[in-house]
Amino acid sequence: MKGQHSSLIQLRQNTLKRTLVYILIGIAIAAVLIPCSIVGAMELNVSDDANVKKTTIDTMTFETCGKGQVPTTIDASSFILNVTDTASKPHMEVDANDTNFGVIGSHTLFSTRLKTGGKSTPDNKLELDVKEDGILHICARTASNSATDRNIVVTSSSGTEIINHVLLESEAVEEKYEEGGKIKTRKIYPVLSANVGAGTYSVTYPENAINIYSFALEHEGSSGVTASFKGGEGAEGTAPSDITVDPNTQITLPNIPFYQPGSNGTVGKHATVWSDGETTYAPGSKYTMGDSNVEFKASGWNYHVLEEHPRIEPTCTTDGNTQYWKCLTCGMCFTDAIASQFIEEEDTILPKTGHDLEHHSSKEATCTVDGNIEYWYCKNCGKYFSDADAQNEITQEQTVIPHTGHLLTYQVDGDKITAQCMKCGTTVTATIQAPQITIYTGEALDCSIKNKQNFEELTGHTLVLTYQKDGEYVDHPVDAGNYSAFMAVSGLIAQCDFTIDKASQNIATPFIQTISYDYITISPIGPGYGDTSYAISETKAAPASGWQSGTTFNSLKDNTKYYIYSKYAGDDNHDEAICATPAEATTMSYQTAFENFKKEQIEALDYVDKEGDSAAVKTIIANAKIELNALEYNASLSPEENYEVIQNIFDRTLLDIDVQRTQEFEDLKAEKVQELENMKQEGDSANAEKIINDTIKNLNDIKYDTNKTPLANKQIVISSVTEAENNVYNDRLDIFEANKKASIALLEGLKDPSDSPETTKTINDKIDELNSLTYDLAKSPKENKELIDTPTNEIKKALEETRTPEFESFKSEKIAEIRKFVQYEYTNDVEALMSSEKNDSDTEKAIAAEAINKINNTNFDNELNLANNKKVIQDIVDQFKSDVEKQRADDEKKKQEESQEASSTENVSAQTGDMTYVVVSCLVLCSLGTCALVIRKRREF
């Protein structure tokens, strides 16, 4: 019905308009046929506001062009400016400049200009495509305060000059004005104007530059009807310009520059459709204006889908940008990740810095020093250029003029070679010098070359020494012997001869290790050069023979004094060495040796007792000492058999000690495993149980290590258990703190601004109570968790009891809002709602019923505060309204299509009525004309 009603109103308006048009036509015919005096006396107040003419000025400036840009085409509605500039270096560009145009008391300030660059050639020109007749206004001035030879010429396509005017600086007038309490002066330049008709016009100018600030066309246009565009409540942005056209004209809806800023971590939104209060339209869609103005508001708000653009620093030749975020859906740009602050994309640009050139003059090359060409170096980007305009980039290598090098001759004299440059006279002599050390050291004893670096820098030759030993080439002089060193340059050879002598060496006096009744053992002496050997003698003189590599001398006489010597045999590089002072030792008697060995074994048992040994181990050691002390030399046995009795007691004691230590270690392991089993508590995490079980397994796998002390073995077990206890405790503590933190966060999230002070205080008290809780070692993890859960559950239960009624009330309000929105009676019966006949749209009923079911099935969530619980319901309502509005738009479109089909029949009747109006109007006018003639004739008589 709404669509049909709209069509009837439109039909009546069109019929009235046609009637008024026919009356005006009739008046126009009468004005021709009837004398002016009669017509002038008639007053016909017939007005159609949509067709009233008014003067319109379309103005074109260059504010939308970026600095340094050359615009190509600018559309000013009633005329278009085409800019052509094909030169390799642009002759035209836009920059900022403030200038006033007009007259004193009425002038306009322009802030941008198009600089022509002072070149009027076929490579660049300006062309105006004028669409309507009118008056062309040009705001232009010279680029100099003194020039008087610059003119601007506007020519039509037929060659007629419309404007040919010399721009004189003297044409500007000065105006005084007050600003900040001070009197100031500003210049105002005149505006060039000329009548033009629709067509194409070229704009030329002389070789000396001028600046153009604005073109404008003043012409008649229809006020028509206007479409305006608003953002709506909470929207930010700049509204598009109003669109004014004739009635019944189709317009294209502009893009939607409105957005809702984000806040509190929530991403902002952008509008997706225009709404005229009844129907929504996509941007860019077509809309037919009626007879009245229309206001469109931004609608259909959706969240931005933001893409981050990281900051890019500008370079000398390329622009950079600030950090910003751009919506992939609407194309808007923002300074932050939640779209709270809009920014034009062009404002994110960081202009290129331009080169900072450092000039380097040319320099000639010499024999040894490179020269360079003239060049310029940019301190910003590190690039090189061959010109001051930085147009021709070169490499650093291309700036270098290589040095010419020396022209050398050479002369040899024994161990010397001399080089001399025939061009600059520079002379250098390189001399082979024998090594300072001439005794073997084990390292290369190379010769050196005096003035080597200077010689190589002058000649470019690398001086290399080669060596011969006894006529054979060697890499380096290392071993003792006779050597010659050679140095060759350009076929000339210098030679130096020298000798490396053998090195001397010393050997230490042997150290007596063991003395028995029939043998003496010495400690081995570290290696020297040549084989190490030892000799023993009953006299104090190094023997000529009898040298051995072993350190034990057997088959000696008892109770006899001996002298022991050591010797290095020497080698090709070292001399032989015999110790200067021999070691002295006297063999024991048989019984003394027995007592000494027994004493040694008793003393050895003192070191068997290790840190951490038990009383049982100490008892084993004490009993063995008693048994050894009781032994006496048995003359019926050989010395070896007496020794064996002592050794057997000692070995048996060591075995008994190892068995005791191993048993004590196993007992400790069993005790600690039981402690770990007892450590398990109710409520432990899987991680805590794994720590305990893994530690038990590791303990069972540990074996007693005889290389460690008993204490060290015990510490391995104890530290393993201690580490497990600490890890389990830390795990329990971490879980306790995490549970406490989660419960506090839950209570903080349950706060609601609408809560009473008492409720808020109750929540805060519970939060303080949770904050003060510490882990109770006397309780299990489960019991500690109950300490946290109890106050949390008490608050949740109290809030549920307090807020659920308010939440249910809110649900009822929103259900009523849904029913009101689709004009249903208030009823909780969804089936009754579906059967209601108060609305013709079954689809709207289904949408409403679905939303009501969702609300009824939504219960209060204890994990959310009241505001967020309400938001869940509000989101359902908002989605419902959006779905209904879309459905209504679809229904309205369908009705309009049906209405257009019905109106085609009515138009036939309307046209017949229009003919009737024409005939009646003509008869009335004819009657008026006849009356006027009769009156005139009577006056003549």
Side-chain angles (χ1 to χ4, degrees), residues 581-760:
T581 303
E584 298 180 9
T586 302
T587 56
M588 300 178 185
S589 65
Y590 292 138
Q591 190 166 0
T592 301
F594 175 83
E595 291 297 329
N596 286 340
F597 182 64
K598 185 173 72 171
K599 182 179 179 182
E600 289 174 3
Q601 298 303 88
I602 292 173
E603 290 175 351
L605 286 176
D606 290 336
Y607 296 100
V608 172
D609 182 9
K610 296 181 180 179
E611 186 179 17
D613 265 335
S614 64
V617 171
K618 296 180 185 297
T619 300
I620 294 172
I621 295 172
N623 291 336
K625 288 181 179 180
I626 293 172
E627 186 177 358
L628 286 173
N629 278 318
L631 284 178
E632 293 183 359
Y633 187 82
N634 188 349
S636 64
L637 299 177
S638 66
E640 290 78 8
E641 290 172 333
N642 276 284
Y643 271 63
E644 187 175 353
V645 171
I646 297 171
Q647 189 66 49
N648 287 338
I649 295 172
F650 185 83
D651 292 343
R652 186 197 69 220
T653 302
L654 293 181
L655 179 61
D656 292 343
I657 290 172
D658 285 341
V659 171
Q660 180 63 31
R661 288 171 178 167
T662 302
Q663 183 58 49
E664 291 174 356
F665 180 76
E666 292 297 326
D667 292 343
L668 177 64
K669 279 171 49 178
E671 177 186 341
K672 294 302 178 181
V673 166
Q674 187 57 50
E675 286 183 14
L676 289 170
E677 290 288 353
N678 296 337
M679 194 189 304
K680 296 178 180 179
Q681 294 184 7
E682 185 179 13
D684 265 335
S685 67
N687 183 52
E689 292 183 1
K690 184 176 185 303
I691 292 171
I692 296 172
N693 292 333
D694 288 349
T695 306
I696 292 174
K697 182 179 182 303
N698 291 337
L699 285 180
N700 287 327
D701 293 339
I702 295 175
K703 302 299 181 183
Y704 186 85
D705 188 350
T706 56
N707 293 321
K708 293 184 173 64
T709 66
L711 179 62
N713 277 283
K714 292 176 183 178
Q715 285 177 339
I716 292 173
V717 175
I718 294 171
S719 62
S720 177
V721 175
T722 301
E723 181 181 2
E725 290 175 342
N726 290 336
N727 290 338
V728 169
Y729 172 73
N730 289 334
D731 181 77
R732 291 169 180 168
L733 185 60
D734 289 344
I735 293 175
F736 177 81
E737 292 297 328
N739 289 334
K740 187 170 73 172
K741 184 177 180 181
S743 293
I744 291 172
L746 175 62
L747 294 184
E748 290 286 357
L750 291 177
K751 292 181 180 180
D752 195 287
S754 62
D755 278 337
S756 66
E758 293 78 10
T759 300
T760 302

Side-chain angles (χ1 to χ4, degrees), residues 443-446 465 467 469 473-479 483 500:
E443 298 180 353
L445 301 179
D446 289 318
L465 292 175
Y467 300 93
K469 178 185 179 186
Y473 281 102
V474 295
D475 291 336
H476 296 281
V478 177
D479 297 331
Y483 290 89
I500 298 177

Side-chain angles (χ1 to χ4, degrees), residues 205-226:
Y205 33 86
E207 291 188 0
N208 290 321
I210 64 171
N211 303 312
I212 300 174
Y213 291 80
S214 170
F215 290 103
L217 185 65
E218 182 178 352
H219 61 95
E220 288 188 349
S222 173
S223 63
V225 289
T226 300

Side-chain angles (χ1 to χ4, degrees), residues 539-592:
T539 62
K540 194 174 183 179
S545 61
W547 292 86
Q548 65 180 45
S549 60
T551 57
T552 300
F553 298 94
N554 295 307
S555 303
L556 302 180
K557 301 175 184 177
D558 69 325
N559 201 26
T560 304
K561 186 174 184 178
Y562 289 94
Y563 300 92
I564 303 169
Y565 292 85
S566 59
K567 179 177 72 171
Y568 291 140
D571 57 19
D572 292 340
N573 294 309
H574 299 83
D575 293 326
E576 180 185 68
I578 298 176
C579 65
T581 303
E584 298 180 9
T586 302
T587 56
M588 300 178 185
S589 65
Y590 292 138
Q591 190 166 0
T592 301

Side-chain angles (χ1 to χ4, degrees), residues 212-457:
I212 300 174
Y213 291 80
S214 170
F215 290 103
L217 185 65
E218 182 178 352
H219 61 95
E220 288 188 349
S222 173
S223 63
V225 289
T226 300
S228 57
F229 304 90
K230 308 296 182 183
E233 184 177 354
E236 294 187 12
T238 303
S241 301
D242 293 349
I243 300 177
T244 302
V245 296
D246 291 335
N248 301 314
T249 301
Q250 190 179 68
I251 65 172
T252 300
L253 297 182
N255 289 331
I256 307 176
F258 293 107
Y259 68 98
Q260 292 179 353
S263 62
N264 297 326
T266 302
V267 177
K269 298 180 180 180
H270 61 263
T272 59
V273 293
W274 292 111
S275 173
D276 60 3
E278 295 182 354
T279 307
T280 58
Y281 305 90
S285 61
K286 303 298 182 182
Y287 180 86
T288 301
M289 296 292 292
D291 293 330
S292 58
N293 295 337
V294 179
E295 181 178 272
F296 291 94
K297 287 189 177 181
S299 184
W301 297 95
N302 282 344
Y303 287 101
H304 292 296
V305 181
L306 297 174
E307 178 183 54
E308 181 182 3
H309 291 255
R311 181 184 178 91
I312 299 176
E313 296 299 330
T315 67
C316 294
T317 56
T318 60
D319 293 338
N321 61 264
T322 63
Q323 183 186 35
Y324 68 99
W325 283 258
K326 185 174 184 179
C327 178
L328 298 177
T329 305
C330 70
M332 290 184 177
C333 298
F334 302 90
T335 61
D336 57 352
I338 63 170
S340 68
Q341 181 62 49
F342 172 77
I343 186 173
E344 294 287 352
E345 189 163 12
E346 63 185 25
D347 292 337
T348 67
I349 297 174
L350 299 174
K352 58 189 177 187
T353 60
H355 293 294
D356 183 5
L357 296 178
E358 178 181 77
H359 178 246
H360 292 259
S361 301
S362 63
K363 184 172 63 176
E364 295 295 331
T366 67
C367 288
T368 58
V369 180
D370 291 340
N372 60 265
I373 64 172
E374 182 183 28
Y375 68 94
W376 285 259
Y377 171 73
C378 177
K379 292 186 286 186
N380 287 341
C381 65
K383 294 183 179 180
Y384 296 80
F385 303 92
S386 63
D387 61 319
D389 294 330
Q391 296 298 309
N392 183 29
E393 183 182 350
I394 58 176
T395 64
Q396 183 182 15
E397 291 76 13
Q398 290 174 311
T399 69
V400 178
I401 300 174
H403 60 273
T404 60
H406 294 290
L407 181 58
L408 299 171
T409 61
Y410 301 93
Q411 183 178 358
V412 65
D413 181 14
D415 57 359
K416 304 179 180 65
I417 296 180
T418 300
Q420 184 176 21
C421 178
M422 298 178 65
K423 291 194 293 183
C424 66
T426 302
T427 302
V428 175
T429 299
T431 304
I432 305 175
Q433 294 182 322
Q436 294 180 356
I437 300 174
T438 56
I439 298 175
Y440 175 81
T441 63
E443 298 180 353
L445 301 179
D446 289 318
C447 294
S448 61
I449 302 175
K450 183 179 180 180
N451 290 334
K452 180 178 186 296
Q453 182 176 354
N454 292 339
F455 190 94
E456 290 180 339
E457 289 178 353

